[in-house]
Structures are given as C-alpha cells and as structure tokens.
Amino acid sequence: MRSDILKKGIETLPHRALLMSAGLDKKDLVLGKPFIGVANSFTDMIPGHIHLNELTREVKRGIRDAGGVPFEWGVPGVCDGIAMFVEMRLSLPSREHIAENIEIMTLSHSLDGWVGVTNCDKITPGMLMAAGRLNLPSILLTGGPMKANVVEGKKCHPIQGYGLVGQVKGGAMKAEKAEEMLSSMCCGPGSCVGLFTANTMAVVTETLGMSLERCATTLAIDPLKKKQAYESGKRVVELVKENITPRHIMTAEAFKNAIRVDMAMGGSTNTALHIPAVAREMDIDIEVDLFDEISRDTPNLCSIIPSGPYEMADIDEAGGVPAVLNRLKDMIEDSLTVTGTSLRKIAEEGQVLDDTVIRPLHNPYHTQGGIAVLRGNIAASAVIKQTALEKEMLVFSGPAKVFFEEKDLLAAIEAKKIVDGDIVVLPFQGPAGGPGMPEMLTPTDAIKGAGLTGVALLTDGRFSGATSGPCIGHIEMEAYNGGVIGAIRDGDIIEIDIPERRLNVRLDDSEIRGRLRDVTPPDRKLTPFLKHYRERFSKTNCYGK
C-alpha cells in the first residue's frame, strides 16, 4: 500500500509524529491498514451541498468499520445557479481546480484510495477527472436531488425563477408578483429537481460504474442516502484491498454506456464537455461525434424538467438508473462497477415501476436521444438539446441579432427589440473568449419567459442543463480563436436544420474571410485565474484539443 511508506522506517518517524499530532493512534499506523481520503465538497452556500457533512460522517464511519483510516479535507464548489449572470466565468475552470485539489491532497499524503462526496455542476466531473488521473481506488457519492414543492398542483423549484425574470423583462408579469412567488420556489437540500447538469452528471457517474446503484436518483432527504454513504466508505476499503482502480471501471465501453443513458434520459448538453474531459484523463479519446452517433439510435425514454413534467424524484420512484438501463439492456456494453457487479447485470435486474415516467422502447417520447451535433460554415461542431425543441423549430431561419454581453440582450428583451423569427447570437463566450465559457440560463429563460417561442439562440459559450428550446452552444471554433460566429452581424440570415444537422450563415466564403480580418474581441476584465484559463484555450477548442 502507498501509505505503508509512512508507517515504517526511521526516515518517516517525524511523519508519524505529525499524523499522531493530528489525532491518529498508533493502532492506525499498522502496516496494511489503508489510508482513505474523503474529499468533502460541503458548503453552506449551495443547497445541493448543505447536507454533505452528514453524509461524510457516514462515509468515514464506513471506512473505519471496514478497517481503514479516513482523512477528510475540503473541496470548493460553485453553484452555477447563484453564479449565473453575476460571475459565471469561474465555474467551468473550477472543474480543473477540483481535479488538481484532489491530486495534491492524495499524492502529497500517500493515500491508498479516496471517496469524493459531491453533488453539483462542476464538482462531480472534476472528481471524476481526478479519479481517472490518479487511478487510485475511489468511489463517488453524489448527494442526491432535492424534492420539488407542489403548490396548487404545480411543481415549484428555484430554477423556475429564471423564467420569471423573463416574464418580468418581457412585461408579462410585475416584479412584485414574481417576488411573492419566491418562498414557493425554496425546496431545501439537494441538487436542483430536474435533469440539469448536477443530476445528469450523477446519472453519468452511476452509469460509468463510479457510484453505488440508485445513488444518482435517491433524494438528498431520503434516509437511504446515509446508508449509501456508509456503504461507499466500506466499499472503497475493499477496492483498495482488491486493487480495483478507475481504469478497470471507466473503460471505453463504460463511456459509451454513459452517453447512451444520457441520450435516453435527455440530460444536459454539458455532458458533451465533461465526458470527453473525464475520458481524456483515462487516455481515452471521446469525440463529440460519438454523442450524435449514439443519439441517432437511442430513443428518448424520459421527459424530465426542464424538457418535460417529471422531476428526479419521479425517476427514482420509477426505478432509477437501473430501470433506464433495463430498457436499454440490449444496447448496453459490459463494464465493471465499483460494487463489483457488471453494468449489464444491473441492467438485466433493473425494474421499471412506471411506464409513463420511463417509457418502453416502442413508445418513446422522441425517436432519437437528447443531443444533436450540428455542422456548417458557422461551426465545425455545435451542440443542441434536440429533445427540448418544439417541432416547428427543428428547421428554422431568420435574421441575426448580435450581442456581446448578456445584460445587453436582457435590455433588448425588455425594450421589445427581440421578436419571434430572430436568431440571437452571443459570440466571444467560449473558454478563451468569455473567458471560462460561461453558462447562459438567464438569457435563454428570459427569451422563453418573455413569450418569444420563435427565437433561436447561438453561442460559442454553453447553456445550463436547465435550458430548453432552440439554443445552440459549444460552437467551434469559438470567436476569440477566429471562429466564424465572430464575423456574424445584425441582419445576416442564419439557417438551422436539426434533422439534417446543419448550421449555416447565408454568406459566401470571401465575405466571411474579409469580415474575420476586421474582428476585434471585446475587452474583458480578467482575474489572474481567468487570464491563465484564457491562455490555456487560446489555441485549442472547448474540448481542450
């Protein structure tokens, strides 16, 4: 074991003195007794994380009962919902920071394995990246979704507030009325109720085999979550003893399974950023084309907020991820999970308890999966959540209205300068241009909330998992790196064809080349961290290639 170097030999006598000064007993320094890290992303600022200290205590109890020695430290977490429109540029860069945090702590202290206690947005993919990078026995415990409030028969939750902003900006609601609805949107502990980025990544984690069965959908307030925490602590000690590492689990087949389940459930487009980043840490190359390929032959079986009426609690009651796997069992490739059970066996044994919430293959909500990848003279690739579209928006064209700041777009909506038929373009929002590739739920929900059902939005930035409608993001190359989206001007006609996977601006090549010579990126105020991030992506695409 890696930690044995600290437990014997005169050279590590001072090391043992330091560990015992921190509270260890001599009996903890027995050879072969594994040192297990617990990366706890508790914070009292994020509802998805306010209960993680309770879960971490159970993880540590499980580690001790299995014969290990737990060591806990803190991992930072950004709530995208709170950062949105305020300072969103640091959220995606925090993913790499979290992976580095875990690398620093595990290697510096000779740990034998670790558990990641996580839940929201970039924390989970950052921990998965660390698992692949370090290849030490590890498990992730995702903290579980929140339960929506039901008021007058309607599900209420924090993210619907973004739509209320749009209604106020569009003149459809008074600000005072929106403020009156605030208390009904407060739901308590857990990641936001729908299949937004946090819950999508929890589903991906479970499907990859890196968390226990049912972990992704078990509610934060469900007593079963503490049992999952305890069992995760016990199991990681067994993984150390069995020398089962993430590279045994997160194989190429496992990533394909994760993408397939994501497509079937209709998850966040952010998986097109996170899954390739996690795979890259495993030396596995996942291209965005794979999402489109799998999506084309995977029916969409779930209709979850924001694309439909159901919340994650409904998915859990219908059988959770194992039930979805059961629907897809003939498409699932064999891969190992941290439990020691193969994913194919979990799929065989999964039970669907509600055919409406998780539909059968012969009666899907959509014949194709959640994500489509578009190409054309605007983009070498771009991503859209096609299951969140109305049929009339599948093929669409209209004049561009270009904005470089979210606040300017919101002002235009308020002044009624955006009308149905327009295509809003937000360039210079990518990893280098933002920098940090900020998420944009505020403008997308503002457009929807203003009643503008016939407006599309294009950006080289990214969208929240809560986004629905004709919103096309991840456009490559991004404007800052010379992408054509930076050359689009007000009035240019843009053509979108989702079934044919096309995205074009009605300009000839010579006109585009001439405009690109005159493009000047907008001036952005940068922190040192953001400046470093811009430098990293100034010569690559949003996938780091």
Side-chain angles (χ1 to χ4, degrees):
M1 290 187 182
R2 297 180 74 254
S3 63
D4 282 351
I5 192 172
L6 299 174
K7 301 167 187 170
K8 62 180 181 179
I10 193 64
E11 295 85 359
T12 56
L13 182 68
H15 303 63
R16 276 170 272 145
L18 288 166
L19 289 168
M20 292 176 69
S21 296
L24 259 64
D25 192 277
K26 274 191 176 182
K27 64 183 180 183
D28 294 323
L29 297 169
V30 176
L31 291 180
K33 194 168 189 177
F35 282 4
I36 306 294
V38 184
N40 178 11
S41 60
F42 164 81
T43 169
D44 57 13
M45 287 189 288
I46 308 177
H49 289 237
I50 58 174
H51 62 305
L52 297 190
N53 274 346
E54 299 172 36
L55 298 184
T56 295
R57 280 194 289 272
E58 291 302 304
V59 170
K60 291 165 72 175
R61 188 168 70 88
I63 291 168
R64 291 189 192 96
D65 286 355
V69 182
F71 295 90
E72 177 187 347
W73 75 90
V75 173
V78 174
C79 176
D80 285 9
I82 295 172
M84 203 91 61
F85 187 64
V86 181
E87 180 46 275
M88 188 62 200
R89 298 177 299 168
L90 293 161
S91 176
L92 185 59
S94 76
R95 184 187 69 180
E96 276 71 18
H97 177 70
I98 289 161
E100 290 162 0
N101 170 298
I102 295 167
E103 177 184 354
I104 289 166
M105 294 300 290
T106 53
L107 298 185
S108 297
H109 300 102
S110 300
L111 301 181
D112 300 301
W114 62 281
V115 180
V117 184
T118 176
N119 215 14
C120 291
D121 301 319
K122 310 308 166 291
I123 300 99
T124 300
M127 288 190 177
L128 286 171
M129 289 169 66
R133 178 183 302 180
L134 299 167
N135 201 35
L136 293 171
S138 51
I139 285 182
L140 265 62
L141 173 74
T142 51
M146 64 172 61
K147 182 78 180 75
N149 292 329
V150 179
V151 180
E152 297 179 356
K154 295 182 179 179
K155 293 181 186 292
C156 298
H157 55 90
I159 302 304
Q160 74 183 94
Y162 286 94
L164 298 182
V165 172
Q167 291 182 49
V168 172
K169 293 289 184 182
M173 180 183 286
K174 296 290 186 184
E176 294 77 15
K177 175 63 175 176
E179 289 286 353
E180 288 173 8
M181 299 173 69
L182 177 60
S183 59
S184 68
M185 296 186 290
C186 303
C187 297
S191 48
C192 294
V193 303
L195 197 56
F196 311 138
T197 303
N199 290 325
T200 302
M201 287 308 302
V203 167
V204 166
T205 301
E206 184 175 333
T207 309
L208 279 173
M210 287 300 293
S211 64
L212 302 185
E213 289 175 45
R214 300 296 293 268
C215 191
T217 59
T218 301
L219 293 179
I221 58 175
D222 190 327
L224 178 58
K225 184 54 70 176
K226 287 187 178 180
K227 185 174 186 292
Q228 291 172 348
Y230 176 76
E231 294 298 332
S232 294
K234 286 185 66 178
R235 183 58 187 151
V236 76
V237 175
E238 295 167 0
L239 290 175
V240 170
K241 292 176 179 177
E242 296 165 10
N243 195 30
I244 296 175
T245 69
R247 294 195 178 218
H248 295 115
I249 296 168
M250 290 194 286
T251 60
E253 292 75 18
F255 283 107
K256 290 177 184 177
N257 290 334
I259 294 171
R260 192 171 299 281
V261 170
D262 180 26
M263 297 303 103
M265 294 183 70
S268 166
T269 55
N270 279 313
T271 56
L273 290 174
H274 298 322
I275 288 176
V278 176
R280 193 161 55 247
E281 298 287 353
M282 312 285 297
D283 297 323
I284 297 171
D285 190 27
I286 300 286
E287 298 288 347
V288 70
D289 285 348
L290 184 60
F291 287 80
D292 196 68
E293 176 188 326
I294 292 174
S295 185
R296 284 178 184 270
D297 65 7
T298 305
N300 173 232
L301 306 179
C302 304
S303 186
I304 310 170
I305 297 169
S307 302
Y310 299 109
E311 60 175 307
M312 292 302 291
D314 298 317
I315 297 293
D316 191 56
E317 290 176 5
V321 172
V324 178
L325 287 167
N326 181 261
R327 292 293 200 212
L328 302 170
K329 60 186 177 183
D330 293 334
M331 304 179 187
I332 293 299
E333 301 189 40
D334 210 16
S335 58
L336 184 65
T337 72
V338 289
T339 65
T341 305
S342 75
L343 196 73
R344 186 171 286 168
K345 184 177 180 183
I346 292 170
E348 291 286 346
E349 295 178 350
Q351 292 186 320
V352 180
L353 305 178
D354 190 323
D355 285 346
T356 304
V357 176
I358 305 173
R359 285 189 176 182
L361 292 178
H362 64 79
N363 183 33
Y365 284 98
H366 301 275
T367 57
Q368 293 187 359
I371 287 176
V373 177
L374 312 182
R375 287 187 162 79
N377 66 355
I378 296 176
S381 67
V383 173
I384 186 169
K385 187 192 288 189
Q386 62 177 341
T387 50
L389 288 171
E390 298 296 332
K391 287 184 179 179
E392 56 269 22
M393 296 301 289
L394 289 172
V395 179
F396 184 72
S397 64
K401 289 190 176 174
V402 182
F403 300 88
F404 297 105
E405 303 284 351
E406 284 185 57
K407 61 181 178 60
D408 296 332
L409 171 55
L410 291 178
I413 294 170
E414 196 165 8
K416 303 191 185 308
K417 293 181 179 179
I418 306 296
V419 298
D420 279 333
D422 287 341
I423 297 182
V424 172
V425 180
L426 276 163
F428 296 99
Q429 306 295 328
M437 205 177 188
E439 225 171 54
M440 284 170 281
L441 179 57
T442 300
T444 58
D445 264 20
I447 289 169
K448 184 169 61 176
L452 298 167
T453 57
V455 173
L457 194 152
L458 272 61
T459 183
D460 50 7
R462 61 194 176 91
F463 296 114
S464 165
T467 296
S468 61
C471 300
I472 300 170
H474 305 196
I475 289 177
E476 284 296 345
M477 289 298 283
E478 64 168 291
Y480 189 88
N481 288 339
V484 173
I485 187 173
I488 296 173
R489 297 175 184 170
D490 286 349
D492 290 342
I493 300 301
I494 293 171
E495 300 169 333
I496 302 167
D497 190 328
I498 307 301
E500 295 297 324
R501 305 301 202 254
R502 289 199 297 260
L503 177 63
N504 290 293
V505 58
R506 206 178 290 168
L507 295 172
D508 60 40
D509 291 346
S510 61
E511 175 68 15
I512 290 172
R513 286 194 300 269
R515 288 191 188 183
L516 285 173
R517 285 193 291 268
D518 297 329
V519 169
T520 301
D523 188 39
R524 307 274 198 219
K525 185 176 180 180
L526 305 183
T527 67
F529 190 40
L530 286 173
K531 183 178 179 182
H532 174 73
Y533 198 77
R534 168 173 280 181
E535 290 168 352
R536 177 185 172 190
F537 280 95
S538 63
K539 295 180 181 178
T540 65
N541 63 22
C542 65
Y543 304 101
K545 296 179 180 179

